Amino acid sequence: MKITKLSGVFALLLIGLAAPGCGKEEQPAEANATVEVTATAESAIGEGAYVEEHESGKAAFNVAADGNVKAAVSGPDGKPIGEDVSGTLLWKDASGEKTLPLTLDAKTGLLVAAGPKLEADLTEIGYTLNVAGKPWNGTLHVPAGGTAELYANAKGAADLGLPEGKLGPHGGRIEIVGDDRLELLVDEVTGEVRVYVLDVDLKPIDIGERKVTLGVVAEAPQVVVLAPVAATAGVSAGAYLTGKLALAADPLKVTVAVRNAGRSAVALCGYRAGAAFAVHAHAPRVKVRVKTDWHAHAHAHADLKAKADLDPKVHVHTGAGAKAHAKANVNVKAPSVRVTPPSVNVQIKAPSISIPKPSFKASASARASAGAKVGTH
């Protein structure tokens, strides 16, 4: 690719970018930028500049490992904008949040700021650029080596090569991060994220001592440190790394940092060294959300375990190498129940009822009257 250097205080990178798709089958890559490189920002902000494409232009950043920041802004025509430009950075690290002003350097025409030294695997840096009264907003997830490390790792991944649209054995997106091939996927319902480590044949292997951190730009920026999965039925400890993401849709950006045996590597999904990464409203999304059956299998295993706890005669067979869709063999023997009806002897005794005869006593006058009536003819 031919690069033409432009004269002036600084110039910016304009490039086309392709990002691999995702799904259950291989899909064509979607573009993340639209034009070829016509200029370089190396003379102004240094080699390894990272550029983001907004609807009204482009913003180039060079964040050094010591925390010094240089930024340059250009319009839709690629010409640098050096007037009526200002900005701020929202720097998040272990010590908390800091708001840093971006000031215009009269000598270079660049926006500059002095932040703290980069020490985390990923440091979240939000930015707001005020360009001719209009705000440009974005978020960077920067490794300890700065944007230069992000640039260098992208070049290394391109050298290794991977067929565009190639999916992992679980239907997830494959990213090359340093020497590792990772499969990344997120359950579209629960937000559970899993990262598998793959060998050169794209077969899953044990994660070993790897630590994986994700920087995600979606509805809101997120930084998530994944944890090794614990041993469960059908899954061995260390089979993958897992965590949780709040995603209503596929994210705009995903940055993956891997630390292993004292070494670190980083990759921005879909990014190519020397490319402008589109972050505007119409930019393509990073395809990581997929439909899985993880939730159903988790419920099924919980139900079987509950039955086993209630009845020791319930046996659940799930081999250590069982696939996620394999059915457990359940042997349930009905209990033998014998019910003897009780012996009931009920005696009902009729009540003794005595009704006295009425006693009638006639008065003397009544008797005389009765005798008179009898003798009269």
Side-chain angles (χ1 to χ4, degrees):
M1 188 185 321
K2 184 177 179 180
I3 297 178
T4 303
K5 292 189 177 181
L6 300 181
S7 59
V9 178
F10 62 89
L12 295 178
L13 296 170
L14 308 174
I15 183 102
L17 175 66
C22 186
K24 290 297 178 183
E25 297 180 357
E26 294 184 11
Q27 298 178 358
E30 68 262 8
N32 196 294
T34 56
V35 296
E36 292 297 320
V37 171
T38 59
T40 177
E42 293 177 8
S43 61
I45 60 177
E47 184 178 2
Y50 168 70
V51 184
E52 293 203 329
E53 181 184 72
H54 293 263
E55 290 183 351
S56 301
K58 295 178 177 62
F61 295 90
N62 188 331
V63 183
D66 61 4
N68 285 315
V69 180
K70 297 177 183 178
V73 181
S74 67
D77 56 2
K79 294 182 179 180
I81 300 174
E83 296 181 355
D84 197 13
V85 178
S86 62
T88 57
L89 301 177
L90 182 59
W91 200 290
K92 297 182 180 182
D93 57 20
S95 64
E97 297 183 4
K98 303 176 183 64
T99 300
L100 306 174
L102 282 165
T103 58
L104 190 64
D105 186 330
K107 293 182 179 180
T108 63
L110 301 176
L111 294 168
V112 297
K117 181 180 178 180
L118 298 172
E119 295 181 339
D121 291 339
L122 287 178
T123 297
E124 183 176 300
I125 305 173
Y127 68 84
T128 298
L129 301 174
N130 298 305
V131 184
K134 295 182 180 180
W136 297 9
N137 298 310
T139 302
L140 311 176
H141 288 107
V142 185
T147 51
E149 182 182 349
L150 191 66
Y151 183 93
N153 277 274
K155 288 186 67 175
D159 293 340
L160 289 176
L162 186 70
E164 291 184 350
K166 180 68 176 178
L167 302 179
H170 304 92
R173 181 188 190 95
I174 299 177
E175 288 293 332
I176 297 177
V177 186
D179 296 330
D180 288 325
R181 293 168 176 81
L182 304 181
E183 182 184 12
L184 168 66
L185 61 163
V186 181
D187 184 275
E188 64 182 14
V189 176
T190 66
E192 179 186 353
V193 55
R194 293 185 183 182
V195 169
Y196 295 86
V197 181
L198 309 178
D199 63 15
V200 293
D201 297 319
L202 304 184
K203 303 294 184 182
I205 60 175
D206 190 89
I207 63 172
E209 299 179 356
R210 290 172 180 83
K211 173 188 173 184
V212 174
T213 303
L214 301 180
V216 179
V217 178
E219 291 76 13
Q222 305 171 61
V223 175
V224 178
V225 179
L226 304 184
V229 66
T232 58
V235 178
S236 59
Y240 55 85
L241 295 118
T242 185
K244 198 88 167 181
L245 287 174
L247 295 177
D250 281 313
L252 188 64
K253 294 169 60 180
V254 177
T255 307
V256 185
V258 179
R259 180 174 293 278
N260 186 28
R263 300 178 59 185
S264 63
V266 66
L268 172 59
C269 294
Y271 172 61
R272 291 179 178 176
F277 196 94
V279 295
H280 50 73
H282 304 293
R285 298 287 171 146
V286 182
K287 302 295 184 182
V288 294
R289 298 171 76 244
V290 298
K291 185 177 182 179
T292 75
D293 55 3
W294 302 340
H295 189 62
H297 279 287
H299 273 296
H301 176 67
D303 292 342
L304 292 174
K305 185 177 184 303
K307 291 179 181 179
D309 290 340
L310 291 174
D311 190 343
K313 294 180 181 179
V314 176
H315 304 285
V316 180
H317 302 282
T318 53
K323 295 182 178 179
H325 62 272
K327 296 182 179 179
N329 296 320
V330 182
N331 179 14
V332 180
K333 185 175 180 181
S336 176
V337 180
R338 181 179 180 183
V339 179
T340 303
S343 176
V344 179
N345 184 9
V346 179
Q347 295 183 352
I348 302 175
K349 189 175 182 180
S352 176
I353 302 174
S354 176
I355 302 176
K357 294 180 180 180
S359 175
F360 297 97
K361 293 182 180 182
S363 61
S365 60
R367 288 193 299 270
S369 175
K373 290 181 180 181
V374 171
T376 304
H377 297 282

